């Protein structure tokens, strides 16, 4: 146990609780490593039937990664820390997706970015009325990562492009519709369910306890989103939105105008690549994401995005490209194979 995370065994369950509510349970590098060590130990522990991941506080399960150190090291010209952070975080994400025992996440409030990575690849993902799930990385010059690109590629229709490029928040009904969550249960019933899971080690209790999911506003606009996001490239998408005077087209255009053009173009390409690959799994997605993040500190808009949104909070990022002048090679350069620097899933890697 530390000030950031509480890891323990209780009866039939392995328990991981994020304990940084004042920081919206932002995920630090040390928290990632501690989670991985626990999961490794419990995978071979016959006394642990399932894993429960939750967080303190009402505002957030985990609102993202703790990016202050990423910013500080990147600004100082130290790109090794960011590469190591993402490499080790992605290994944890893959481990969660492939975990041999039920992995149960309770996602109250905000679950964004890195929070998606430690919750939404689990086998049982539970939301309540306060749940707000999103992949807002394009707003800070990154791309949807931590395996989020795979979730987006697998979302119904073209919702993946819409959610990944706009960073739109999903309530409980939307999260279930889009494939980021499985079960809805009012928060008032969470403690009782956790107690039963701890006592019995029986994950089938979740489905029995769950309530009918709330309506999904996204599902109601599915046809419109699918039509808007048929474009294959960012310029074509923006042109289609500009020529469409519907409310959803204009609101989408406004959201995209705030985000990094390079990130938007790469996100669109990544989702298309993964969707076009029937065999794509979590490792394919993470490998593709790491191509971007490995290069991010040197070549993307991430440092400027973090400065504008989180450090100075002026909300006036100076992106390096304009959507109309984005070089044709920009996406292929960011997503080219890394050769000997490619992502590995070994701890020693």
């Amino acid at each position: 146990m530390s000030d950031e995370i509480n890891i323990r065994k209780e009866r039939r369950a392995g328990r991981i609780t994020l304990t940084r509510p004042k920081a919206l349970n932002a995920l630090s590098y040390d928290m990632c490593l501690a989670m991985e060590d626990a999961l490794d130990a419990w995978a071979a522990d016959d006394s642990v039937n399932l894993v429960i991941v939750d967080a303190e506080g009402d505002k957030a399960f985990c609102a993202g990664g703790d990016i202050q150190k990423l910013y500080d090291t990147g600004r100082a010209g130290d790109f090794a820390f960011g590469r190591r952070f993402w490499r080790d975080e992605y290994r944890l994400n893959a481990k969660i997706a492939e975990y041999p025992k039920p992995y149960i996440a309770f996602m109250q409030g905000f679950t964004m970015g890195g929070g998606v990575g430690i919750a939404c690849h689990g086998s049982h993902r539970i939301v309540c009325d306060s749940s707000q799930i999103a992949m807002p990385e394009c707003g800070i010059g990154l791309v949807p990562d931590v395996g989020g690109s795979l979730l987006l590629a697998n979302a119904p229709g073209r919702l993946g492009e819409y959610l990944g490029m706009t960073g739109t928040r999903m309530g409980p009904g939307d999260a279930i519709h889009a494939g980021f969550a499985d079960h809805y249960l009012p928060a008032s019933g969470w403690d009782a369910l956790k107690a039963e899971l701890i006592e019995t080690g029986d994950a089938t209790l979740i489905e029995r306890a769950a309530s009918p999911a709330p309506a999904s506003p996204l599902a109601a606009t599915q046809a419109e989103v699918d039509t808007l996001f048929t474009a294959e490239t960012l310029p074509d998408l923006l042109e289609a939105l500009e020529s469409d005077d519907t409310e959803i087209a204009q609101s989408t255009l406004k959201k995209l105008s705030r985000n990094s053009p390079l990130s938007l173009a790469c996100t669109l390409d990544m989702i298309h690549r993964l969707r076009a690959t029937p065999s794509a799994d979590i490792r394919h997605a993470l490998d593709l994401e790491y191509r971007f993040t490995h290069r991010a500190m040197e070549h993307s808009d991430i440092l400027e995005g973090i400065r504008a949104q989180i450090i100075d909070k002026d909300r006036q990022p100076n992106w390096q490209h304009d959507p109309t002048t984005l070089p044709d090679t920009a996406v292929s350069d960011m997503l080219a194979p890394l050769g000997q620097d490619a992502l590995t899933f070994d701890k020693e890697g």
Side-chain angles (χ1 to χ4, degrees):
M1 182 174 178
S2 72
D3 292 338
E4 298 183 328
I5 192 168
N6 182 4
I7 297 173
R8 71 274 189 205
K9 290 199 298 182
E10 294 180 5
R11 301 287 290 167
R12 309 300 304 174
R15 299 289 313 274
I16 299 174
T17 301
L18 311 186
T19 57
R20 305 182 70 197
K22 291 182 179 179
L24 300 181
N25 293 308
L27 191 68
S28 71
Y29 183 53
D30 288 341
M31 292 164 73
C32 287
L33 298 181
M35 287 187 68
E36 182 181 25
D37 288 344
L39 293 178
D40 286 345
W42 293 337
D45 187 340
D46 291 339
S47 70
V48 174
N49 289 58
L50 50 79
V51 175
I52 297 172
V53 183
D54 58 12
E56 292 181 354
D58 298 325
K59 292 183 178 180
F61 165 75
C62 175
D66 190 347
I67 57 178
Q68 182 68 54
K69 189 170 182 180
L70 285 172
Y71 179 77
D72 292 341
T73 55
R75 288 277 295 172
D78 173 11
F79 307 132
F81 174 78
R83 290 167 178 168
R84 184 172 71 252
F85 179 98
W86 280 308
R87 184 181 67 232
D88 292 346
E89 182 182 22
Y90 294 177
R91 188 176 65 242
L92 171 63
N93 302 144
K95 197 157 288 187
I96 291 168
E98 299 168 351
Y99 205 61
K101 298 179 180 182
Y103 181 101
I104 304 159
F106 288 83
M107 298 180 282
Q108 79 280 10
F110 295 122
T111 299
M112 300 182 179
V116 168
I118 61 168
C120 297
H121 300 302
S123 58
H124 299 74
R125 305 161 299 173
I126 300 168
V127 287
C128 63
D129 292 305
S130 71
S131 299
Q132 294 284 308
I133 300 175
M135 298 297 295
E137 287 80 4
C138 288
I140 60 165
L142 199 60
V143 293
D145 67 332
V146 296
S149 61
L150 182 65
L151 294 167
L152 295 168
N154 290 334
R158 300 282 180 160
L159 279 184
E161 287 92 327
Y162 175 73
L163 292 168
M165 297 176 75
T166 65
T168 296
R169 296 175 184 177
M170 295 173 276
D174 285 340
I176 291 172
H177 175 70
F180 281 71
D182 304 298
H183 303 288
Y184 165 76
L185 178 65
S188 59
W190 283 16
D191 286 346
L193 176 58
K194 290 177 189 177
E196 290 186 68
L197 292 170
I198 291 165
E199 186 63 31
T200 66
D202 181 5
T204 65
L205 294 173
I206 297 170
E207 191 166 352
R208 297 179 216 168
S211 300
S216 166
L218 278 179
T221 61
Q222 180 84 56
E224 293 173 276
V225 169
D226 290 351
T227 299
L228 290 174
F229 280 84
T230 55
E232 291 298 316
T233 67
L234 179 62
D236 289 346
L237 172 60
L238 295 176
E239 183 178 349
L241 292 171
E242 288 168 355
S243 63
D244 189 325
D245 61 1
T246 61
E247 181 180 348
I248 187 170
Q250 292 305 302
S251 67
T252 298
L253 188 62
K254 185 176 181 180
K255 291 176 181 177
L256 296 184
S257 71
R258 304 179 186 130
N259 295 341
S260 160
L262 177 62
S263 297
L264 291 172
C266 288
T267 297
L268 188 64
D269 189 80
M270 289 165 59
I271 292 171
H272 289 173
R273 288 195 201 192
L274 292 169
R275 187 183 291 133
T277 307
S279 62
D281 59 14
I282 187 68
R283 295 193 179 210
H284 285 93
L286 292 166
D287 174 79
L288 187 57
E289 294 165 3
Y290 188 67
R291 297 179 189 183
F292 186 102
T293 53
H294 180 88
R295 299 179 171 104
M297 291 296 184
E298 288 183 278
H299 304 296
S300 81
D301 287 312
I302 186 171
L303 293 176
E304 172 62 9
I306 294 173
R307 180 208 64 76
Q309 302 297 341
I310 296 166
I311 306 300
D312 296 338
K313 299 183 180 178
D314 59 26
R315 307 290 191 268
Q316 298 293 323
N318 182 24
W319 303 129
Q320 60 182 308
H321 300 294
D322 181 272
T324 59
T325 60
L326 189 70
D328 292 338
T329 59
V331 172
S332 58
D333 287 346
M334 289 301 293
L335 299 181
L338 288 168
Q340 64 182 11
D341 292 323
L343 179 66
T344 72
F345 294 91
D346 302 321
K347 275 192 172 181
E348 297 75 24

